[in-house]
Amino acid sequence: MKKIIPILILLVFLIDFHGFAGNPTVKSITVSGKITDKSTGEVLLGANVFVKELKSGTVTNPYGFYSISLPPGKYNFSYSYIGYEAYEKAIDLQSNITINIELAPKQQVLKEVVVTGKKTSENVDKNEMSVVKMDIRTIRQIPALMGEVDIIKAIQLLPGVQTTSEGSTGFSVRGGSPDQNLIQLDEATVYNASHLMGFFSVFNNDAIKDVKLYKGDIPPSYGGRLSSLLDVRMKEGNTKKFTATGGIGTISSRLTLEGPIDKDRVSYIISGRRTYADLFLRLSSNKDLRDNTLYFYDLNGKINFTVDENNRLFVSAYTGRDVFKNTDFKMSWGNKTATIRWNHLFSKRLFSNFTLIRSKFDYGLGIPAGRADSFKWTSILDDYSARVDFSFYPDPKNTVKFGLSTTYHQFSPGSAKGLGESSFFNEYNLPQSNALEHAVYAGNEQTLTHKLSVKYGLRLCMFQNIGRGVIYHFDKNYESIDSTVYSRGKVFHTYLDWEPRLAFTYLLDSTSSVKASYSRTVQYIHLASNSASGNPLDVWFPSSPNVQPQVGNQFSLGYFRNFLQNTLETSVEVYYKKNLHAIDFKDHAELLLNPKLEGELRFGTAESYGFELFVKIQKERFNGWVSYTLSSSTRKIPEINNGKAYRSPYDKPHNISIVMNYVISKRTSFGANWVFASGAPVTFPTGRAIIGNKVVPVYSDRNAYRMPTYHRLDLSITLKGKEKPGRKWQGEWNFSVYNAYARKNAWVINFVPDANDANTYYAEKTYLFSFIPAITYNFHF
Amino acid sequence: MIKQNILKLLPVVIILALFLSGCTEKIDLKLGGTYTRLVVDGCITTDTIAHSVKLTTTSDFFNNEPSPTVSGALVSITDGTRVFPLTEDPLNPGVYKTDPTVFGQPGKTYTLSIQLANEINGYSAYEAYCYLNPVSKMDSISVVYMDSWELWEIQCWAYDPPQTNFYMFNIFKNNILMTDTINKVMVTDDRLFNGSYTNGAGIGYLRKDFSREKVFPGDTIKAQIAGITQDYMKFITQVQIESGYKNPLISGPPANIMGNINNGAIGFFSAYSVKYCTTIVK
């Protein structure tokens, strides 16, 4: 660590010097401020600030802050954001000035239904690729399973993103594993983003403001995962007036309250969601069903406090839990996150953010006391993090970001014990492990010429295993020989890695550009899971002397082109990824309650490449997109599949998503999406052996076969209530159908013996959802 | 046992969770073939009986016939000092049996040798060995009907010695083996109850919806406890998983079972101690 800091400081200075090198003697003056929504006071992130005289500008950071430094003079500023009225202002710049802008949402005939506004050429000229930002309003238009609007399901409709299994919120980005996605809610890691065995995600859309997925080109401020960053931001709460939003759906109900505590200065939001399947179960005449309790809930809360011009404070928290119990069995799991952030302006050019984060995932299951096999099993993963991020705006051509972060991870993979006097189980604890993960980073976004902009950065990261901990030593056959116990607080192993990030954008003309990027990412904590869908029995484990960090290298190249005054955005990207120390599990790996889990791991390489096409249209009445992905993803691990390369579990060569929304009238809109994907790789039996009077399969090579092709059409129609002057209540009905043509997409294929002849087998597919209708009523006042 | 319980219960969770409109449907699927391997299924126990070893071969998965048997092989079991030859049962081709006076002894390692008349997959000589572990006795067993699962649980009272032990349980009803296929036997390690009394842990289940397994007052239930090796426990678990129903929520990737026969043959030759405990259902 001591060695890194001087290097980093040097790097910052180099960037800084470079930034000023063009014109070091002219004094420059800073315009800064924040951009907010006029109606709700929510800050707008990624809003554009454009200086007409320079033909260049900046964008707001995640806290709505912008800063731009210019030589003294008269300028015309233009502030804009998609879906909002642009605002223009002439400024005579003589001394540093703060200009806070409130942008008004566009008053359209078809209010709130269509996301339009100033058509920006961001797709082409922003120095950013392999990134998709989704507005929560767009997400709400997409027909959803059981009417539950789900941001992760929306993300799965984008190029390069595959769903891991039917209806699942697990996703694979560019061939990576689901655990290679860093999912953050207000910067706190969400370790298990799923409810109900993966069929719903933990994000309650009423509390979410903005979602951004980085499939590559991850900014140097983030790391720790190989494949992607899903950055989810919660709303801050309306600073202008009290509002309530809610909905009654087929499986859950939602209510969100927000409003000012001190107008324009302090606001709050509190949002809850709960399913009520179990309430229906109680009415059931079937006793077995009636005795079951089954639900999940989410609770989000946030307070936003503008202390003064230079200081702002955010406190946000999330908790969600799934509970299932009956007289014989009990199981529950959930995430908790809490974030405290303090925005501070050291000067008009130096923005800082100090963050404290806690993130926890735990599960427990067991058999209630009173029986011989009564037991309780719990597992906890707990993170404490602190980070400092700086944004420095030396001039309009450079934006420098630097900072550092540290996280303390505490893994308690499992502790099982008997319950009650009659239980015969002893206490059984897997050893805890602890680790520290540090990072320092610096990067600059620089406009070199009007046509060429670059982005470069470096992230240095360090991972330390600390006691108390037990490390097993394995021989070359992965049998444990002995173990070493390390005392509390002792750092017993350290990994140090560097992650360069590099990107270019070259404008060919005003409507097209070429972009390229390279990124290296390192992952220190990994997930052992036998589930393709997302069951809660996740075992996260750290890198250690036995487990090297996974390292990813990704190259991307893209061509971006806009048509029809930027209402039609298109892009083509190709990527190549090579991962080192890729992890897979040996055959018949024992992942649960296994203290020697590391002996079940096998290491090799993973490779993926692909082609992604994205066409997005945004017209007054019609919007939507088409995405097509052609990809390949394989792994090669010496001890698996006899050392031959095999398809990774989420390798689906062809993937098409078509999403569209059409506004029929002022009060009616229609949504549809169609997805098509090649079948997932699967291992099928090719031979049989009979052992103990039972047919036992002899398998093909790993993942040598494919499941049948998957496709599905979903439809929805939204009817809004009449708007009357003076009436606050706004309601809408949403009717949706999942899998409208009831295709029986195979979820799993089993080989089952005939009821009358144990030697005769046939193949049987299980399909989950065919034609699922749902009704949701949403309201707002 | 905890794990087995959980794995059994999870599907229930899922089904309840969703009122799944999930359904199953027979489909046509073309599968490729594979080369033939020898399959060995045999054991020696501490009982004094004719111990048997069955030799068959693999076939294509959708063959849908009993496995082809392997006749005319020379088969023997040795404990290092004595050799017990096995002779092919004239009524059951492919089944080779010892003399009925043979019994295994704890603490010895038994080796199975097979010399085939014709080679399979390039080999005609195969071998496997297994250590014969001791086992402690059960104090008593009882049969309890569990209403919510509609099955009878056979509960066991026994002391688990402080060493690491691996167990297999078989259930007999009126002297007929109920656990007659390998996916019905129960196996466990003692990781969660090492050195303690079992207090009536479930060691077997008889299901109400199977007329063969239905329990009536007066029935004699006999439980067999077997002290097996860790490798054999793993083997049975693997066979149970791979021959059972797969569910993407909890099942790992399919993988071939791993036995203890050399030269690429499939199967297991096991050696174990057995003890019995009987109760009459009231």
Side-chain angles (χ1 to χ4, degrees):
Chain A
M1 205 68 184
K2 277 179 189 150
K3 280 178 201 159
I4 303 170
I5 289 168
I7 297 174
L8 205 82
I9 291 170
L10 195 69
L11 194 79
V12 170
F13 272 96
L14 276 176
I15 293 166
D16 208 343
F17 176 73
H18 194 94
F20 283 113
N23 211 346
T25 48
V26 176
K27 188 184 159 226
S28 70
I29 292 163
T30 306
V31 183
S32 64
K34 63 179 183 186
I35 302 182
T36 53
D37 177 314
K38 193 170 189 170
S39 62
T40 64
E42 291 274 338
V43 301
L44 300 176
L45 52 133
N48 291 297
V49 181
F50 189 75
V51 185
K52 289 192 170 169
E53 287 72 12
L54 294 179
K55 294 201 179 90
S56 131
T58 185
V59 290
T60 57
N61 75 5
Y63 305 95
F65 176 79
Y66 75 95
S67 167
I68 191 161
S69 296
L70 305 163
K74 288 182 178 167
Y75 296 99
N76 282 293
F77 275 63
S78 167
Y79 296 89
S80 66
Y81 191 63
I82 285 190
Y84 289 80
E85 298 281 359
Y87 182 83
E88 306 212 340
K89 193 174 172 73
I91 298 166
D92 185 2
L93 207 56
Q94 296 307 331
S95 59
N96 287 350
I97 182 170
T98 300
I99 299 177
N100 293 329
I101 300 291
E102 291 187 332
L103 293 181
K106 232 173 186 186
Q107 293 298 321
Q108 304 141 0
V109 190
L110 307 164
K111 190 185 158 199
E112 266 202 72
V113 179
V114 188
V115 184
T116 53
K118 187 172 180 288
K119 311 295 190 303
T120 68
S121 53
E122 208 173 277
N123 175 50
V124 168
D125 52 26
K126 192 165 186 192
N127 186 11
E128 188 172 77
M129 70 185 300
S130 312
V131 172
V132 203
K133 196 172 136 178
M134 282 188 105
D135 189 280
I136 197 74
R137 285 182 293 180
T138 310
I139 294 172
R140 285 196 191 119
Q141 292 170 355
I142 302 170
L145 172 62
M146 298 184 191
E148 282 298 301
V149 172
D150 199 316
I151 62 171
I152 291 188
K153 302 265 178 77
I155 291 293
Q156 290 170 346
L157 299 167
L158 298 170
V161 187
Q162 315 264 16
T163 164
T164 53
S165 135
E166 162 93 66
S168 167
T169 52
F171 61 100
S172 159
V173 176
R174 292 185 168 174
S177 312
D179 74 326
Q180 293 171 352
N181 304 321
L182 179 61
I183 301 176
Q184 290 193 330
L185 178 63
D186 272 0
E187 297 191 59
T189 305
V190 178
Y191 280 95
N192 186 315
S194 69
H195 280 306
L196 273 183
M197 317 310 280
F199 293 107
F200 301 100
S201 84
V202 298
F203 302 109
N204 173 358
N205 74 83
D206 284 343
I208 304 302
K209 175 154 94 177
D210 186 271
V211 184
K212 202 167 177 181
L213 176 74
Y214 297 81
K215 300 180 286 182
D217 193 15
I218 297 173
S221 45
Y222 295 100
R225 293 292 189 283
L226 289 196
S227 290
S228 78
L229 164 67
L230 181 65
D231 188 10
V232 182
R233 303 268 169 175
M234 270 162 63
K235 282 183 180 172
E236 272 99 51
N238 198 318
T239 60
K240 307 281 181 188
K241 61 176 198 286
F242 170 79
T243 62
T245 314
I248 298 164
T250 309
I251 70 154
S252 80
S253 280
R254 294 164 278 120
L255 182 65
T256 301
L257 306 174
E258 57 183 308
I261 294 171
D262 182 1
K263 195 162 180 285
D264 290 329
R265 284 190 71 222
V266 188
S267 68
Y268 71 93
I269 178 167
I270 181 155
S271 180
R273 165 170 79 157
R274 190 194 192 276
T275 61
Y276 34 66
D278 56 329
L279 305 179
F280 293 116
L281 287 181
R282 221 160 280 162
L283 303 174
S284 166
S285 56
N286 182 332
K287 186 176 160 296
D288 290 342
L289 281 178
R290 204 163 55 215
D291 290 341
N292 286 288
T293 306
L294 170 82
Y295 60 86
F296 71 75
Y297 66 83
D298 294 298
L299 209 56
N300 296 69
K302 190 161 174 174
I303 288 175
N304 149 38
F305 179 26
T306 307
V307 182
D308 58 33
E309 193 87 306
N310 295 329
N311 292 287
R312 215 164 159 208
L313 203 63
F314 304 89
V315 180
S316 57
Y318 162 79
T319 177
R321 205 153 188 88
D322 280 65
V323 177
F324 168 71
K325 64 177 181 225
N326 61 24
T327 46
D328 300 315
F329 186 68
K330 185 180 174 195
M331 181 164 181
S332 80
W333 64 95
N335 294 279
K336 285 186 179 69
T337 70
T339 313
I340 300 174
R341 282 176 293 186
W342 171 37
N343 287 178
H344 175 68
L345 283 180
F346 283 100
S347 78
K348 300 294 180 198
R349 294 182 189 189
L350 185 61
F351 176 92
S352 67
N353 182 45
F354 299 83
T355 313
L356 291 173
I357 304 163
R358 168 102 190 264
S359 172
K360 185 178 173 186
F361 171 68
D362 75 289
Y363 61 81
L365 69 167
I367 291 175
R371 292 168 44 125
D373 53 2
S374 298
F375 75 98
K376 189 176 176 195
W377 167 10
T378 51
S379 169
I380 301 168
L381 171 60
D382 217 344
D383 275 7
Y384 298 84
S385 316
R387 59 181 299 154
V388 191
D389 300 277
F390 294 94
S391 308
F392 179 58
Y393 304 87
D395 59 44
K397 291 191 185 309
N398 291 280
T399 303
V400 182
K401 291 182 179 164
F402 56 97
L404 50 100
S405 70
T406 186
T407 300
Y408 172 62
H409 300 285
Q410 202 174 32
F411 305 85
S412 310
S415 122
K417 59 173 183 229
L419 270 190
E421 299 221 327
S422 55
S423 175
F424 75 103
F425 289 122
N426 299 335
E427 191 159 333
Y428 182 76
N429 291 312
L430 291 184
Q432 272 199 7
S433 55
N434 309 286
L436 286 168
E437 189 172 349
H438 316 284
V440 278
Y441 71 90
N444 186 23
E445 291 171 38
Q446 188 175 0
T447 312
L448 287 177
T449 70
H450 280 311
K451 290 196 177 273
L452 181 66
S453 36
V454 294
K455 200 162 64 173
Y456 43 89
L458 181 65
R459 179 180 173 88
L460 294 166
C461 46
M462 187 191 250
F463 191 81
Q464 299 181 304
N465 297 98
I466 57 173
R468 192 189 147 92
V470 182
I471 292 294
Y472 290 90
H473 304 281
F474 298 91
D475 64 14
K476 61 182 195 317
N477 298 320
Y478 300 92
E479 297 293 333
S480 68
I481 340 169
D482 56 11
S483 63
T484 312
V485 177
Y486 295 94
S487 57
R488 179 178 287 279
K490 184 180 163 58
V491 173
F492 61 87
H493 197 267
T494 300
Y495 283 108
L496 183 61
D497 290 280
W498 61 296
E499 302 174 40
R501 314 276 169 87
L502 198 59
F504 298 90
T505 294
Y506 184 76
L507 286 177
L508 298 169
D509 53 46
S510 65
T511 58
S512 65
S513 64
V514 174
K515 303 182 188 185
S517 72
Y518 164 73
S519 66
R520 181 182 151 100
T521 42
V522 179
Q523 178 161 349
Y524 295 107
I525 65 169
H526 325 277
L527 175 64
S529 170
N530 257 343
S531 169
S533 183
N535 78 44
L537 307 182
D538 283 350
V539 181
W540 286 91
F541 59 95
S543 287
S544 75
N546 292 317
V547 185
Q548 291 205 54
Q550 301 184 71
V551 177
N553 286 291
Q554 178 170 191
F555 300 88
S556 320
L557 184 66
Y559 174 72
F560 296 74
R561 171 97 202 247
N562 285 3
F563 297 92
L564 308 170
Q565 283 89 46
N566 296 329
T567 55
L568 188 67
E569 298 180 347
T570 64
S571 64
V572 174
E573 287 191 35
V574 288
Y575 64 87
Y576 174 78
K577 285 208 302 197
K578 177 105 184 187
N579 297 347
L580 305 177
H581 317 303
I583 295 177
D584 210 329
F585 305 96
K586 70 165 200 188
D587 286 350
H588 308 290
E590 217 181 302
L591 306 182
L592 297 176
L593 285 184
N594 183 358
K596 295 168 190 165
L597 176 70
E598 291 180 345
E600 311 287 282
L601 311 178
R602 300 293 180 268
F603 307 96
T605 54
E607 193 179 40
S608 44
Y609 51 89
F611 165 92
E612 297 167 357
L613 172 73
F614 191 51
V615 177
K616 190 177 172 188
I617 187 159
Q618 221 158 59
K619 296 287 227 182
E620 190 78 355
R621 279 173 171 265
F622 180 76
N623 70 79
W625 69 83
V626 175
S627 93
Y628 170 69
T629 310
L630 175 67
S631 62
S632 159
S633 170
T634 54
R635 292 179 190 168
K636 195 169 179 196
I637 292 173
E639 296 92 345
I640 294 176
N641 202 33
N642 299 315
K644 288 181 282 182
Y646 58 96
R647 294 167 182 153
S648 79
Y650 314 108
D651 171 59
K652 300 174 188 170
H654 300 280
N655 199 317
I656 302 170
S657 302
I658 300 174
V659 178
M660 49 191 209
N661 188 271
Y662 182 71
V663 179
I664 299 168
S665 73
K666 206 169 170 179
R667 288 171 48 202
T668 318
S669 67
F670 169 76
N673 56 269
W674 186 71
V675 292
F676 173 96
S678 311
V682 64
T683 311
F684 279 147
T686 50
R688 60 156 68 183
I690 295 180
I691 288 166
N693 294 322
K694 188 79 191 162
V695 172
V696 181
V698 176
Y699 290 110
S700 65
D701 282 346
R702 188 180 278 210
N703 291 342
Y705 288 81
R706 284 195 180 279
M707 297 288 279
T709 302
Y710 181 98
H711 53 91
R712 188 188 84 225
L713 174 73
D714 308 330
L715 302 171
S716 75
I717 193 153
T718 306
L719 306 174
K720 280 175 171 293
K722 259 191 194 150
E723 267 184 64
K724 285 181 192 157
R727 184 159 86 174
K728 278 187 163 181
W729 182 278
Q730 291 174 352
E732 67 176 34
W733 288 97
N734 179 281
F735 303 89
S736 67
V737 175
Y738 182 89
N739 200 358
Y741 54 79
R743 177 172 162 89
K744 297 167 179 173
N745 285 303
W747 183 55
V748 60
I749 291 177
N750 271 293
F751 297 90
V752 203
D754 189 271
N756 303 313
D757 176 12
N759 278 316
T760 301
Y761 272 65
Y762 61 89
E764 176 195 274
K765 77 171 172 191
T766 304
Y767 55 94
L768 292 183
F769 307 110
S770 62
F771 197 83
I772 306 282
I775 304 176
T776 308
Y777 179 74
N778 295 314
F779 60 85
H780 179 80
F781 63 86
Chain B
M1 240 172 279
I2 283 187
K3 249 151 67 182
Q4 281 89 327
N5 273 328
I6 291 159
L7 295 184
K8 269 182 220 148
L9 286 160
L10 274 177
V12 181
V13 180
I14 297 150
I15 291 158
L16 281 165
L18 286 169
F19 320 82
L20 285 185
S21 59
C23 305
T24 56
E25 189 177 282
K26 217 173 191 170
I27 56 166
D28 269 332
L29 201 66
K30 293 252 179 317
L31 296 175
T34 183
Y35 61 93
T36 303
R37 301 144 168 101
L38 175 69
V39 181
V40 180
D41 186 5
C43 69
I44 180 164
T45 71
T46 50
D47 278 343
T48 310
I49 49 165
H51 306 278
S52 70
V53 172
K54 189 172 182 184
L55 301 184
T56 54
T57 67
T58 59
S59 50
D60 284 351
F61 186 77
F62 282 133
N63 177 42
N64 290 347
E65 298 284 334
S67 291
T69 55
V70 178
S71 287
L74 294 174
V75 183
S76 66
I77 295 173
T78 171
D79 64 2
T81 50
R82 288 171 303 165
V83 177
F84 311 107
L86 284 80
T87 49
E88 191 168 2
D89 184 343
L91 301 174
N92 286 308
V95 177
Y96 299 78
K97 290 186 165 167
T98 65
D99 190 84
T101 57
V102 173
F103 58 91
Q105 288 170 294
K108 289 190 170 171
T109 297
Y110 289 83
T111 304
L112 170 74
S113 304
I114 300 163
Q115 184 68 46
L116 299 182
N118 303 300
E119 63 182 35
I120 294 174
N121 190 23
Y123 294 97
S124 57
Y126 292 87
E127 206 172 66
Y129 57 90
C130 185
Y131 182 79
L132 200 152
N133 272 321
V135 72
S136 55
K137 68 172 179 41
M138 292 179 280
D139 297 327
S140 65
I141 60 165
S142 63
V143 181
V144 177
Y145 182 67
M146 295 169 73
D147 202 22
S148 53
W149 299 100
E150 299 198 321
L151 44 77
W152 287 271
E153 184 178 59
I154 289 69
Q155 300 180 341
C156 153
W157 275 260
Y159 172 67
D160 171 68
Q163 303 81 22
T164 304
N165 300 294
F166 303 94
Y167 297 105
M168 174 173 77
F169 298 97
N170 278 296
I171 306 295
F172 298 79
K173 191 184 88 176
N174 301 328
N175 270 327
I176 297 164
L177 180 63
M178 293 288 108
T179 46
D180 57 347
T181 55
I182 194 163
N183 54 328
K184 290 181 185 166
V185 307
M186 191 149 182
V187 288
T188 183
D189 57 29
D190 62 0
R191 149 161 51 155
L192 297 171
F193 54 90
N194 190 23
S196 51
Y197 287 92
T198 61
N199 289 346
I203 57 165
Y205 298 89
L206 297 173
R207 286 178 290 181
K208 198 179 170 186
D209 52 348
F210 281 75
S211 58
R212 195 174 165 265
E213 295 185 9
K214 249 182 178 170
V215 176
F216 296 98
D219 281 349
T220 304
I221 300 293
K222 181 167 81 175
Q224 179 200 63
I225 185 170
I228 59 175
T229 60
Q230 183 175 21
D231 286 345
Y232 191 46
M233 182 195 75
K234 285 186 178 171
F235 176 79
I236 293 177
T237 309
Q238 290 171 13
V239 170
Q240 291 180 343
I241 290 171
E242 299 307 330
S243 65
Y245 220 74
K246 293 266 178 185
N247 178 325
L249 293 180
I250 50 171
S251 303
N256 283 325
I257 54 168
M258 292 184 288
N260 66 346
I261 322 286
N262 67 354
N263 292 339
I266 291 174
F268 209 97
F269 167 66
S270 60
Y272 50 84
S273 297
V274 290
K275 281 184 176 144
Y276 297 91
C277 191
T278 304
T279 187
I280 293 170
V281 179
K282 281 175 201 142

